[in-house]
Amino acid sequence: MSYIPLSGLSLRDIEYVVAVDDLRNFSRAAERCGVSQGGLSEQVRKLETLLGVVLFERTRRHVAPTPQGARLIALGREVIAAARAMIEAARVQAGPLEGMLRIGVIATLGPYYVPSLLPLLRHAYPQLRLQLTDSQTLPMLRMLRHDELDLVFAALPVSHEALHYAPIFEEPFVAAFPASHPLAHRQTLAMGDLDGPDLLLLEEGHCLRDQALALCGMPAHHDRQRLATSLEMLWHMIGAGEGYSLIPRLALHHRGEWEDLITTTPLADAQRTIGLVWRASDPREDAFRAFARFLRENTPDGCRPVADYPTITDARE
């Protein structure tokens, strides 16, 4: 086998290849990497020539790694992760949480928590630059494990051995009903009262769906004819009189215009725990735990701070 000098390998070129594999599209990969499509394509071809391997099968409508390319790209991801860990380890010596921090926030939390969080971060962490992403829990945890995110705000617990987490606050759920619904005028409600056919749910993939079913004592794969694609659509469906659901407390802010259409009722012992999640291998764990303490000290109104766990329990998927 011919000798390939390491000087011929570039972290930049490996990043390009990983981006193409993630997005399966050269144009979008170039946009992510901040280069022209022609420049990215040329560097990928040069890397293929250097390695003597075709990394991607290309057609006008299709980009996919070849079998050997997939194996090499997986190694490339490890190289990029190790390089980033080296940089972050050096940053830890310089100070807590400086520079770019890539944060993911679950979609049922982000729009209601992030607006009040940003001013706090600007004041307490002036050297921090944020790149925010919102999505469902599992895709963001996958991005976290692949070193595409640094932190994720998620409902705890998480379920992967490569991830550590710290709780921040408990967010209560309230029951939200159309104003004309019979349950809207009950003085007290038990969770068992909500397991009827009018219960509205988010579509599969949202952790809030699973939490609602669990709290109401219903099976995880309960079939429903009507599912909401987002928490906002779920709220609109309630306002339209289609049924009722559980709504996180923070999502009730600025809903005054709905007061004639929707009635909300507090529920005892119905809440979710919001926490920070990061890779167990990330050298910034102490800084992340300090960040979690700061967030805990600034728990949003209507929620309750949660003490950090004495040890991290790694669950399995």
Side-chain angles (χ1 to χ4, degrees), residues 10 17 38 65 71 91 99 135 151 210 265 269 278 284 297 311:
S10 162
V17 166
R71 291 191 292 273
R91 285 180 179 170
S135 185
L151 288 171
D210 300 331
T265 304
D269 298 322
W278 60 88
R284 296 170 291 178
E297 292 166 359
T311 59

Side-chain angles (χ1 to χ4, degrees), residues 11-298:
L11 286 176
R12 178 192 61 183
D13 295 343
I14 297 173
E15 281 189 310
Y16 291 172
V17 166
V18 168
V20 173
D21 184 47
D22 286 341
L23 301 172
R24 303 299 170 93
N25 182 283
F26 277 81
S27 177
R28 291 199 297 270
E31 183 177 354
R32 177 203 279 187
C33 296
V35 297
S36 69
Q37 180 177 342
L40 180 140
S41 298
E42 179 62 22
Q43 291 305 122
V44 171
R45 281 194 293 268
K46 286 182 178 179
L47 183 58
E48 289 178 320
T49 300
L50 177 69
L51 298 175
V53 172
V54 176
L55 297 173
F56 295 103
E57 178 185 342
R58 305 160 170 89
T59 68
R60 293 184 64 181
R61 297 185 178 181
H62 175 76
V63 176
T66 63
Q68 191 169 3
R71 291 191 292 273
L72 294 176
I73 292 167
L75 292 173
R77 290 183 185 278
E78 295 178 8
V79 170
I80 295 297
R84 185 161 284 131
M86 180 179 179
I87 293 171
E88 297 304 340
R91 285 180 179 170
V92 167
Q93 302 303 317
L97 295 188
E98 297 180 354
M100 177 63 72
L101 194 65
R102 303 163 300 168
I103 297 179
V105 190
I106 55 174
T108 56
L109 175 70
Y112 319 107
Y113 179 50
V114 170
S116 63
L117 177 63
L118 291 179
L120 292 172
L121 297 185
R122 289 195 195 100
H123 177 73
Y125 294 87
Q127 303 303 316
L128 194 60
R129 293 184 296 119
L130 300 180
Q131 179 179 313
L132 299 176
T133 299
D134 74 324
S135 185
Q136 296 177 3
T137 302
L138 290 181
M140 286 198 301
L141 294 182
R142 190 178 306 115
M143 292 175 68
L144 182 61
R145 298 198 308 272
H146 291 167
D147 193 31
E148 297 166 19
L149 291 172
D150 300 307
L151 288 171
V152 170
F153 285 88
L156 300 182
V158 296
S159 56
H160 198 281
E161 60 195 22
L163 302 177
H164 282 178
Y165 54 84
I168 304 172
F169 59 83
E170 285 185 349
E171 181 183 18
F173 287 112
V174 301
F177 302 95
S180 60
H181 196 281
L183 290 177
H185 307 290
R186 292 273 295 271
Q187 295 298 315
T188 59
L189 281 173
M191 294 307 303
D193 296 327
L194 305 180
D195 62 356
D198 293 342
L199 178 66
L200 298 172
L201 298 170
L202 290 172
E203 63 184 8
E204 289 193 24
H206 288 279
C207 60
L208 183 57
R209 167 195 172 92
D210 300 331
Q211 293 156 359
L213 288 172
L215 286 169
C216 294
M218 303 172 74
H221 298 291
H222 196 80
D223 291 330
R224 295 277 156 167
Q225 295 298 316
R226 292 279 286 140
L227 299 174
T229 57
S230 68
L231 187 52
E232 288 303 300
M233 181 54 67
L234 185 66
W235 183 264
H236 294 163
M237 291 166 66
I238 297 169
E242 295 189 43
Y244 57 84
S245 193
L246 300 183
I247 300 294
R249 174 68 177 77
L250 293 181
L252 297 184
H253 292 173
H254 308 299
R255 301 284 189 182
E257 70 273 18
W258 293 83
E259 62 185 11
D260 293 333
L261 296 174
I262 296 178
T263 298
T264 59
T265 304
L267 297 166
D269 298 322
Q271 63 273 323
R272 62 179 180 177
T273 300
I274 299 298
L276 274 184
V277 189
W278 60 88
R279 288 183 302 282
S281 60
D282 197 307
R284 296 170 291 178
E285 174 146 347
D286 288 345
F288 290 158
R289 290 196 177 280
F291 187 42
R293 286 194 295 273
F294 166 78
L295 297 173
R296 208 172 291 128
E297 292 166 359
N298 291 276

